[in-house]
Amino acid sequence: MTSPAVNAEITPLQERLIDLIKTNGPISIADYMTDALGHPHEGYYMSSSPVGAEGDFITAPEISQIFGELIGLWLVQSWTDMGSPPAFNLVEIGPGRGALMADILRAARLRPEFVNAATIWLVETSGRLRHEQQRRLRTESAAIQWADAFSDVAPGPTLLVANELFDCLPIRQFIRTKTSWRERLVGLADDDQALAFTIDKTPAHPSLILPSVEETTAGDIFEICEGGQALTTEIAQYLIENSGRALIIDYGHLASGFGDTLQAVRDHAYWPPLSSPGRADITAHIDFEALGRAAFEAGAAVYGPITQGAFLERLGLSLRVERLCKTISPAEAHEIKQSAHRISAPSQMGEIFKAFCLSSPDLPAPAGFEGE
Ligand code: SAH
């Protein structure tokens, strides 16, 4: 990804945030992300077409159909591991343009009983993207429902997937000053015309779980994704009550660490996160250790994270590429090989992206995670 020639415009959301901060003082980065991404009218996901070659960023299911097909087979195997329940929920949170679900269902048709047993729930906050999902999936025979939140999904045995969802859940940042941890906030630049980072005047509340001051140095930045941890706990509790598995794929680090991972992307290039809110995607890396802890404390079985490259390979990526390439032209085969390389090579998406599975404790280790 390149750095952009920044041509930031003042957005209506930015004007509103400036007024709000002038009156009430700086806001948390989490509140900023919530508005910039999810404001009902001007939020990025509500008002843009984020994903795909014509959007601002591209995701694995948009790069290669094999990604979703392998996950489809993983889901069929998981359903078998659950004793092939005659009715179950197949949930996707944050389905984007519906590509992953379309590929999952195509691969899963190998077992029509799976598709017939599934009630599909697409949990999506953006009306615009729901519309794209409806268009993409309208020819599917399976029953599809949309929900605003995971809590709306009916009880029952469940298989859940979420690709590149957790990275857009709001984070808070804390910075180690000389003597204490303080929250990094969004305030105003000197001329009051632009947004700028600032630091809270008072130390972080003692109830927050932050690394100790003694073991850190001034300037360290620590991130907390409260929404991601709460959603993980909610999914874990739900799976324990209802039986099932959740497969979460996203980019991030295995162990909690220090550093500023807040980033924005616009038109396939990095963008300053506080410029033109509502017009750029804003994300942060996932702290898988924190999510794993949340799931474990709720009582779920936790598998991984393992790298996306290793996960896809264990599910048969190379074999699938080889088989597909036998029946098509050399040019098409080249394209398939290249897209498979993009989603699995360590230098591309294979290493930074991780697969992570939560499961009700009654089930065996899921395919791809044996021995993890
Ligand atoms: N999974 C897709 C899209 C990733 S983009 C893919 O891999 O291509 C993030 C998606 O999550 C978008 O569909 C966005 O509208 C949705 N989203 C963002 N916040 C959400 C939330 N809190 N609940 C449900 N969906 C959300």
Side-chain angles (χ1 to χ4, degrees), residues 58-65 335 338-340 342-343 349:
I58 191 138
T59 57
E62 297 281 340
I63 293 171
S64 170
Q65 66 178 68
E335 207 171 295
Q338 268 204 323
S339 55
R342 250 180 106 182
I343 60 172
M349 298 171 81

Side-chain angles (χ1 to χ4, degrees), residues 231-254:
L231 181 60
T232 305
T233 303
E234 188 186 352
I235 293 172
Q237 285 169 345
Y238 176 95
L239 292 178
I240 292 163
E241 275 166 35
N242 292 281
S243 184
R245 284 184 185 145
L247 178 65
I248 293 165
I249 301 183
D250 224 309
Y251 54 94
H253 34 276
L254 296 173

Side-chain angles (χ1 to χ4, degrees), residues 259-281:
D260 171 13
T261 76
L262 189 74
Q263 67 178 40
V265 164
R266 187 176 184 180
D267 200 11
H268 302 271
Y270 290 116
W271 182 259
L274 301 187
S275 290
S276 310
R279 304 280 158 81
D281 188 33

